[in-house]
Amino acid sequence: MVGDQGRPVPAKVVMIRYGELFLKSDPVKYHFIGILLRNIRQALGAAGHSCRFESPRGRIFIYGEKPDEIAGIVSRVFGVVGVSVCTRVAADPDALRDAAVLLAAEHLHPPCRFAVRGKRQSKTGMNSQQLGEYVGSAIYDAIPGLSVDLSHPEYELFVEVRDCGGLVYDSRIPAPGGLPWGSQGKVLCLLSSGIDSPVASWLAMKRGCEVSHLHMDGSRWAGSDVKTTAIENLRRLSLWCPGSEMQMIVADTEPFYDRMQELRIPPRLRCVLCKRFMLRAAGRLCGREGAQAILTGENIGQVASQTLANLAVISDATTVPVLRPLITYDKEETITLARKIGTFMDKPGDLACRAVPRMPATAATQDAVKESEEKLGIDKLLDEVLARVQYVIAQNGKIT
């Protein structure tokens, strides 16, 4: 639309920034941007938004009726590093100045300290510093009583001149970054009712993995809230891949625990045997589900089964690669991230494991573990457990 002066009428647009995608070779970059656009469209479509997209160099622009809502949705899409609702004008210093003065007048009141950050994509005309000074001077003159503070401003306004036009905005919504969800293949995450495994799942999603989940339900050997809390973890994680279904397989492992008790397997080996059984089950399901790796929330030394010696014995249970994104995290680091992504629960309920021995082994041997597995008839047990799995599906924060 063109105004009386022959200039385009300012329009609201949502600007998307992406990070490391820009560093890829052109074929890979365009492939990843295509996946990112698919994910954004899917997320917005699930929320009922019909939008128009443009993808000039280094940015994605979205036009829709409710730009603030659109920005909020897109800020949870992996691969996006930041989102801004912008006023889009001609790539002209005067048009940028006028739009900036109008935007600043809505938010700036004396004696506020402010700064204008200019940025140019091309090398002609004003440079970035001159553009910021030009627009800042106009705001300073239009709103008496302000002061300029480039180091610690109370209000920041951004003006950009790009090949596709001029942009004015005053907020940057942070987004998770990483790679587009689904660009790196599929993994199967062992999802529990705890704090760690949902964070591990989120970190893998951030690196572009499509994540399915497996919950090993201990039934009467587990606390009364374990299964429902694991499902709640799934529900919350689904908010990070809007528009897409997120799956969790639930396997009833009660026969495994019953068998260990009946055969009087040494209690000190239970935790290692349990983890190996989980990896065996996940390894089989990877083939069925098309997953290329198993994902866990383990880290070094957090519990007895996670000593380096035990992790080596546990990993030997499968030939499928095992990814452990939290392997070096302190517990407080994991909790901080869990709070940030929304999976931390202050009162999760009864999450006890009734099979944990009083003194678990911290350095189980391969020979002792395999001898116990032979006694258990581990392959037959595995067949029994995997023959009657259930599926739980979450989408957009709801269990469907």
Side-chain angles (χ1 to χ4, degrees), residues 177-244:
L179 298 174
W181 189 80
S183 64
Q184 300 300 304
K186 189 172 184 179
V187 299
L188 182 64
C189 177
L190 290 170
L191 186 66
S192 72
S193 57
I195 296 168
D196 300 332
S197 58
V199 175
S201 176
W202 187 89
L203 287 170
M205 292 163 67
K206 181 180 177 181
R207 294 310 301 163
C209 295
E210 179 183 345
V211 184
S212 286
H213 301 85
L214 169 63
H215 176 64
M216 305 297 277
D217 177 21
S219 194
R220 67 182 179 84
W221 290 89
S224 58
D225 298 303
V226 167
K227 183 177 177 181
T228 55
T229 304
I231 292 173
E232 176 63 12
N233 281 334
L234 179 76
R235 185 193 70 78
R236 296 187 184 197
L237 286 169
S238 74
L239 291 166
W240 287 98
C241 54
S244 298

Coordinates of all heavy atoms in Angstrom, one line a residue, residues 177-244:
G177 N 16.9 -21.1 19.7 CA 18.0 -21.3 18.8 C 18.2 -22.8 18.4 O 17.2 -23.5 18.3
G178 N 19.4 -23.2 18.2 CA 19.7 -24.6 17.8 C 19.4 -24.8 16.3 O 19.5 -23.9 15.5
L179 N 19.0 -26.0 16.0 CA 18.6 -26.4 14.6 C 17.2 -26.8 14.5 O 16.5 -27.1 15.5 CB 19.5 -27.6 14.2 CG 21.0 -27.4 14.2 CD1 21.7 -28.8 14.0 CD2 21.4 -26.4 13.2
P180 N 16.6 -26.7 13.3 CA 15.2 -27.0 13.2 C 14.8 -28.4 13.6 O 15.5 -29.3 13.2 CB 14.9 -26.8 11.7 CG 16.0 -25.8 11.2 CD 17.2 -26.2 12.0
W181 N 13.7 -28.5 14.3 CA 13.2 -29.8 14.8 C 13.0 -30.7 13.6 O 12.3 -30.4 12.6 CB 11.9 -29.6 15.6 CG 11.4 -30.8 16.3 CD1 11.9 -31.2 17.5 CD2 10.4 -31.6 15.9 NE1 11.1 -32.3 17.9 CE2 10.2 -32.6 17.0 CE3 9.5 -31.7 14.8 CZ2 9.3 -33.6 16.9 CZ3 8.6 -32.7 14.8 CH2 8.5 -33.6 15.8
G182 N 13.6 -31.9 13.7 CA 13.4 -32.9 12.6 C 14.5 -32.9 11.6 O 14.5 -33.7 10.7
S183 N 15.5 -31.9 11.7 CA 16.5 -31.8 10.6 C 17.6 -32.8 10.9 O 18.4 -33.0 10.0 CB 17.1 -30.4 10.6 OG 17.7 -30.1 11.8
Q184 N 17.7 -33.5 12.0 CA 18.8 -34.4 12.4 C 18.4 -35.8 12.6 O 19.1 -36.6 13.2 CB 19.5 -33.9 13.6 CG 20.1 -32.5 13.4 CD 21.1 -32.4 12.3 OE1 22.1 -33.1 12.3 NE2 20.9 -31.5 11.4
G185 N 17.2 -36.2 12.1 CA 16.8 -37.5 12.3 C 16.0 -37.7 13.6 O 15.8 -36.8 14.4
K186 N 15.8 -39.0 14.0 CA 14.9 -39.4 15.1 C 15.7 -40.1 16.2 O 16.5 -40.9 15.9 CB 13.7 -40.2 14.6 CG 12.6 -40.5 15.6 CD 11.5 -41.2 14.9 CE 10.3 -41.4 15.9 NZ 9.2 -42.1 15.2
V187 N 15.4 -39.8 17.4 CA 16.0 -40.5 18.6 C 14.9 -40.9 19.5 O 13.8 -40.4 19.5 CB 17.0 -39.6 19.3 CG1 18.1 -39.2 18.4 CG2 16.3 -38.4 19.9
L188 N 15.2 -41.9 20.3 CA 14.2 -42.4 21.3 C 14.8 -42.1 22.7 O 15.8 -42.6 23.1 CB 14.0 -44.0 21.1 CG 13.0 -44.6 22.0 CD1 11.6 -44.1 21.8 CD2 13.1 -46.2 21.8
C189 N 14.0 -41.3 23.4 CA 14.4 -40.9 24.8 C 13.8 -41.7 25.9 O 12.5 -41.9 25.8 CB 14.1 -39.4 25.0 SG 14.4 -38.8 26.6
L190 N 14.6 -42.2 26.8 CA 14.0 -42.9 28.0 C 13.5 -41.8 28.9 O 14.3 -41.1 29.6 CB 15.1 -43.7 28.7 CG 15.6 -44.9 27.9 CD1 16.8 -45.5 28.6 CD2 14.5 -46.0 27.9
L191 N 12.2 -41.6 28.9 CA 11.6 -40.5 29.7 C 11.0 -41.0 31.0 O 10.2 -41.9 31.0 CB 10.5 -39.9 28.8 CG 9.8 -38.6 29.4 CD1 10.8 -37.5 29.5 CD2 8.6 -38.2 28.6
S192 N 11.4 -40.4 32.1 CA 11.0 -40.8 33.4 C 10.1 -39.8 34.0 O 9.7 -38.8 33.3 CB 12.2 -41.1 34.3 OG 12.8 -39.9 34.7
S193 N 9.8 -39.9 35.3 CA 9.0 -38.9 36.0 C 10.0 -37.8 36.6 O 9.5 -36.9 37.3 CB 8.2 -39.5 37.1 OG 9.0 -40.3 37.9
G194 N 11.3 -38.0 36.4 CA 12.2 -37.1 37.1 C 12.5 -35.8 36.4 O 11.8 -35.4 35.4
I195 N 13.5 -35.1 36.8 CA 13.9 -33.8 36.3 C 14.8 -33.9 35.1 O 14.7 -33.1 34.1 CB 14.6 -33.0 37.4 CG1 13.7 -32.7 38.6 CG2 15.2 -31.7 36.9 CD1 14.4 -32.2 39.8
D196 N 15.7 -34.9 35.1 CA 16.8 -35.0 34.1 C 16.3 -35.3 32.7 O 16.7 -34.7 31.7 CB 17.9 -35.9 34.5 CG 18.5 -35.6 35.9 OD1 18.5 -34.4 36.2 OD2 18.9 -36.5 36.6
S197 N 15.6 -36.4 32.5 CA 15.3 -36.9 31.2 C 14.4 -35.9 30.3 O 14.7 -35.8 29.1 CB 14.6 -38.3 31.3 OG 13.4 -38.2 32.0
P198 N 13.5 -35.1 30.9 CA 12.8 -34.2 30.1 C 13.8 -33.1 29.5 O 13.6 -32.6 28.4 CB 11.8 -33.5 31.0 CG 11.6 -34.5 32.1 CD 12.9 -35.2 32.2
V199 N 14.8 -32.7 30.4 CA 15.7 -31.7 29.9 C 16.6 -32.3 28.8 O 16.9 -31.6 27.8 CB 16.6 -31.2 31.1 CG1 17.7 -30.3 30.6 CG2 15.7 -30.5 32.1
A200 N 17.0 -33.6 29.0 CA 17.8 -34.2 27.9 C 17.0 -34.3 26.6 O 17.6 -34.0 25.5 CB 18.2 -35.6 28.4
S201 N 15.7 -34.6 26.7 CA 14.9 -34.6 25.5 C 14.8 -33.2 24.9 O 15.0 -33.1 23.6 CB 13.4 -35.0 25.9 OG 12.6 -35.0 24.8
W202 N 14.7 -32.2 25.7 CA 14.6 -30.8 25.1 C 15.9 -30.4 24.4 O 15.9 -29.8 23.4 CB 14.3 -29.8 26.3 CG 14.0 -28.4 25.8 CD1 12.8 -27.9 25.4 CD2 15.0 -27.4 25.7 NE1 13.0 -26.5 25.1 CE2 14.3 -26.2 25.3 CE3 16.4 -27.3 26.0 CZ2 15.0 -25.0 25.1 CZ3 17.0 -26.1 25.7 CH2 16.3 -25.0 25.3
L203 N 17.0 -30.8 25.0 CA 18.3 -30.5 24.5 C 18.5 -31.2 23.1 O 19.1 -30.6 22.2 CB 19.5 -30.8 25.4 CG 19.6 -29.9 26.6 CD1 20.6 -30.6 27.6 CD2 20.1 -28.5 26.2
A204 N 18.1 -32.4 23.0 CA 18.1 -33.1 21.7 C 17.2 -32.5 20.7 O 17.6 -32.3 19.5 CB 17.8 -34.6 21.9
M205 N 16.0 -32.0 21.1 CA 15.1 -31.3 20.2 C 15.8 -30.0 19.7 O 15.7 -29.7 18.5 CB 13.8 -31.0 20.9 CG 13.0 -32.2 21.3 SD 11.7 -31.9 22.5 CE 10.6 -30.8 21.7
K206 N 16.5 -29.4 20.6 CA 17.2 -28.1 20.2 C 18.2 -28.3 19.2 O 18.5 -27.5 18.4 CB 17.8 -27.5 21.5 CG 18.5 -26.2 21.2 CD 19.1 -25.6 22.5 CE 19.8 -24.3 22.2 NZ 20.5 -23.7 23.4
R207 N 18.8 -29.5 19.2 CA 19.8 -29.8 18.2 C 19.2 -30.5 16.9 O 19.9 -31.1 16.1 CB 20.9 -30.8 18.8 CG 21.7 -30.1 19.9 CD 22.3 -28.8 19.5 NE 23.1 -28.8 18.3 CZ 23.5 -27.8 17.6 NH1 23.0 -26.6 17.9 NH2 24.2 -27.9 16.5
G208 N 17.9 -30.3 16.8 CA 17.3 -30.7 15.5 C 16.8 -32.2 15.5 O 16.3 -32.6 14.4
C209 N 16.8 -32.9 16.6 CA 16.3 -34.2 16.6 C 14.8 -34.3 16.8 O 14.2 -33.6 17.6 CB 17.0 -35.0 17.8 SG 18.7 -35.3 17.6
E210 N 14.2 -35.2 16.1 CA 12.8 -35.5 16.3 C 12.8 -36.6 17.4 O 13.4 -37.6 17.2 CB 12.1 -36.0 15.1 CG 10.6 -36.4 15.3 CD 10.0 -37.0 14.0 OE1 10.6 -36.9 12.9 OE2 8.9 -37.6 14.2
V211 N 12.2 -36.3 18.6 CA 12.3 -37.2 19.7 C 11.0 -37.9 20.0 O 9.9 -37.3 20.1 CB 12.7 -36.4 21.0 CG1 12.9 -37.3 22.2 CG2 13.9 -35.5 20.7
S212 N 11.1 -39.2 20.0 CA 10.0 -40.1 20.6 C 10.5 -40.5 22.0 O 11.7 -40.4 22.3 CB 9.7 -41.3 19.7 OG 9.0 -40.9 18.5
H213 N 9.6 -41.0 22.8 CA 9.9 -41.4 24.1 C 9.5 -42.8 24.5 O 8.5 -43.3 23.9 CB 9.2 -40.4 25.1 CG 9.7 -38.9 24.8 ND1 9.0 -38.1 23.9 CD2 10.7 -38.2 25.4 CE1 9.6 -37.0 23.9 NE2 10.6 -37.0 24.8
L214 N 10.2 -43.3 25.5 CA 9.9 -44.6 26.0 C 9.8 -44.5 27.5 O 10.8 -44.0 28.2 CB 10.9 -45.7 25.6 CG 10.9 -47.0 26.3 CD1 9.5 -47.7 26.1 CD2 12.0 -47.9 25.9
H215 N 8.7 -44.9 28.1 CA 8.6 -44.8 29.6 C 8.5 -46.3 30.1 O 7.6 -47.0 29.7 CB 7.4 -44.0 30.1 CG 7.2 -44.1 31.6 ND1 8.1 -43.6 32.4 CD2 6.2 -44.6 32.3 CE1 7.7 -43.8 33.7 NE2 6.5 -44.4 33.6
M216 N 9.4 -46.7 31.0 CA 9.4 -48.0 31.6 C 8.6 -48.0 32.8 O 9.1 -47.5 33.9 CB 10.8 -48.5 31.8 CG 11.7 -48.5 30.6 SD 11.2 -49.5 29.2 CE 11.8 -51.1 29.8
D217 N 7.3 -48.4 32.8 CA 6.4 -48.3 33.9 C 6.6 -49.5 34.9 O 6.3 -50.6 34.6 CB 5.0 -48.3 33.4 CG 3.9 -48.3 34.4 OD1 4.2 -47.9 35.6 OD2 2.8 -48.7 34.2
G218 N 7.1 -49.1 36.1 CA 7.3 -50.2 37.1 C 6.1 -50.7 37.8 O 6.2 -51.6 38.6
S219 N 4.9 -50.1 37.5 CA 3.7 -50.5 38.1 C 3.7 -50.5 39.6 O 4.1 -49.5 40.2 CB 3.3 -51.9 37.5 OG 1.9 -52.2 37.8
R220 N 3.5 -51.7 40.3 CA 3.5 -51.7 41.7 C 4.9 -51.5 42.3 O 5.0 -51.2 43.5 CB 2.9 -53.0 42.3 CG 3.7 -54.2 42.0 CD 2.9 -55.5 42.5 NE 3.7 -56.7 42.2 CZ 4.6 -57.2 43.0 NH1 5.0 -56.5 44.1 NH2 5.3 -58.3 42.7
W221 N 5.9 -51.6 41.5 CA 7.3 -51.3 42.0 C 7.6 -49.8 41.9 O 8.7 -49.4 42.4 CB 8.3 -52.1 41.1 CG 8.2 -53.6 41.4 CD1 7.4 -54.5 40.7 CD2 8.9 -54.3 42.4 NE1 7.6 -55.7 41.2 CE2 8.6 -55.7 42.2 CE3 9.9 -54.0 43.3 CZ2 9.1 -56.7 43.0 CZ3 10.4 -55.0 44.1 CH2 10.0 -56.3 44.0
A222 N 6.7 -49.0 41.4 CA 7.0 -47.6 41.3 C 6.0 -46.8 42.1 O 4.9 -47.3 42.5 CB 6.8 -47.1 39.8
G223 N 6.4 -45.6 42.5 CA 5.5 -44.7 43.2 C 4.2 -44.4 42.5 O 4.1 -44.5 41.3
S224 N 3.2 -44.1 43.2 CA 1.8 -43.9 42.7 C 1.7 -42.8 41.6 O 0.8 -42.8 40.8 CB 0.8 -43.7 43.8 OG 1.1 -42.5 44.5
D225 N 2.6 -41.9 41.6 CA 2.5 -40.8 40.7 C 3.6 -40.8 39.5 O 3.7 -39.9 38.7 CB 2.7 -39.4 41.4 CG 1.7 -39.2 42.5 OD1 0.5 -39.2 42.1 OD2 2.0 -39.0 43.7
V226 N 4.3 -41.9 39.5 CA 5.4 -42.0 38.5 C 4.9 -41.9 37.0 O 5.3 -41.1 36.2 CB 6.2 -43.3 38.7 CG1 7.2 -43.5 37.5 CG2 7.1 -43.2 40.0
K227 N 3.9 -42.8 36.7 CA 3.4 -42.8 35.3 C 2.7 -41.5 34.9 O 3.0 -41.0 33.8 CB 2.5 -44.0 35.1 CG 2.0 -44.2 33.7 CD 1.1 -45.4 33.6 CE 0.5 -45.6 32.2 NZ -0.3 -46.8 32.1
T228 N 1.9 -41.0 35.8 CA 1.2 -39.8 35.4 C 2.1 -38.6 35.3 O 1.9 -37.7 34.5 CB 0.1 -39.4 36.5 OG1 0.7 -39.4 37.8 CG2 -1.0 -40.5 36.5
T229 N 3.2 -38.6 36.1 CA 4.2 -37.5 36.0 C 5.0 -37.6 34.7 O 5.3 -36.6 34.1 CB 5.1 -37.5 37.2 OG1 4.3 -37.4 38.4 CG2 6.0 -36.3 37.2
A230 N 5.3 -38.8 34.3 CA 6.0 -39.0 33.0 C 5.1 -38.5 31.9 O 5.6 -37.9 30.9 CB 6.4 -40.5 32.8
I231 N 3.8 -38.8 31.9 CA 2.9 -38.3 30.9 C 2.8 -36.8 30.9 O 2.8 -36.1 29.9 CB 1.5 -39.0 31.1 CG1 1.6 -40.5 30.8 CG2 0.5 -38.3 30.2 CD1 0.3 -41.2 31.1
E232 N 2.9 -36.2 32.1 CA 2.9 -34.8 32.2 C 4.2 -34.2 31.6 O 4.1 -33.1 31.0 CB 2.7 -34.4 33.7 CG 2.8 -32.9 34.0 CD 1.7 -32.0 33.3 OE1 0.7 -32.6 32.8 OE2 1.9 -30.8 33.3
N233 N 5.3 -34.9 31.8 CA 6.5 -34.4 31.2 C 6.4 -34.4 29.7 O 6.8 -33.5 29.0 CB 7.7 -35.3 31.6 CG 8.2 -35.0 33.0 OD1 8.1 -33.9 33.4 ND2 8.8 -36.0 33.6
L234 N 5.8 -35.4 29.1 CA 5.5 -35.5 27.7 C 4.6 -34.3 27.2 O 4.9 -33.7 26.2 CB 4.9 -36.8 27.3 CG 4.5 -37.0 25.9 CD1 5.8 -37.4 25.1 CD2 3.5 -38.1 25.7
R235 N 3.6 -34.1 28.0 CA 2.7 -33.0 27.6 C 3.4 -31.7 27.6 O 3.2 -30.9 26.6 CB 1.5 -32.9 28.7 CG 0.4 -31.9 28.3 CD -0.5 -31.6 29.5 NE 0.2 -30.9 30.5 CZ 0.4 -29.6 30.5 NH1 0.0 -28.9 29.4 NH2 1.0 -28.9 31.5
R236 N 4.2 -31.4 28.6 CA 4.9 -30.1 28.6 C 6.0 -30.0 27.5 O 6.2 -29.0 26.9 CB 5.6 -29.9 30.0 CG 4.6 -29.9 31.1 CD 5.2 -29.5 32.4 NE 4.3 -29.5 33.5 CZ 4.5 -28.9 34.7 NH1 5.6 -28.3 35.0 NH2 3.6 -29.0 35.7
L237 N 6.6 -31.1 27.2 CA 7.6 -31.1 26.1 C 7.0 -30.8 24.8 O 7.5 -30.2 23.9 CB 8.4 -32.4 26.1 CG 9.4 -32.6 27.1 CD1 9.9 -34.1 27.1 CD2 10.6 -31.7 27.0
S238 N 5.7 -31.3 24.6 CA 5.0 -31.1 23.3 C 4.8 -29.6 23.0 O 4.5 -29.3 21.8 CB 3.7 -31.9 23.3 OG 2.7 -31.2 24.1
L239 N 4.8 -28.8 24.0 CA 4.7 -27.3 23.8 C 5.8 -26.8 23.0 O 5.7 -25.7 22.4 CB 4.5 -26.6 25.1 CG 3.3 -26.8 25.9 CD1 3.4 -26.3 27.3 CD2 2.1 -26.2 25.2
W240 N 6.9 -27.5 22.9 CA 8.1 -27.0 22.2 C 8.2 -27.5 20.7 O 9.2 -27.2 20.0 CB 9.4 -27.4 22.9 CG 9.6 -26.6 24.2 CD1 9.2 -27.0 25.5 CD2 10.1 -25.3 24.3 NE1 9.5 -26.0 26.3 CE2 10.1 -24.9 25.6 CE3 10.6 -24.4 23.4 CZ2 10.5 -23.7 26.1 CZ3 11.1 -23.2 23.8 CH2 11.0 -22.8 25.2
C241 N 7.2 -28.3 20.3 CA 7.2 -28.6 18.9 C 5.7 -28.4 18.4 O 5.0 -29.4 18.0 CB 7.7 -30.0 18.6 SG 6.9 -31.3 19.5
P242 N 5.2 -27.2 18.5 CA 3.8 -26.9 18.2 C 3.4 -27.3 16.8 O 4.1 -27.2 15.9 CB 3.7 -25.3 18.4 CG 5.1 -24.8 18.2 CD 6.0 -25.9 18.8
G243 N 2.2 -28.0 16.8 CA 1.7 -28.5 15.6 C 2.1 -29.9 15.2 O 1.5 -30.5 14.4
S244 N 3.1 -30.4 16.0 CA 3.5 -31.8 15.7 C 3.1 -32.7 16.9 O 3.0 -32.3 18.0 CB 5.1 -31.8 15.6 OG 5.5 -31.1 14.5

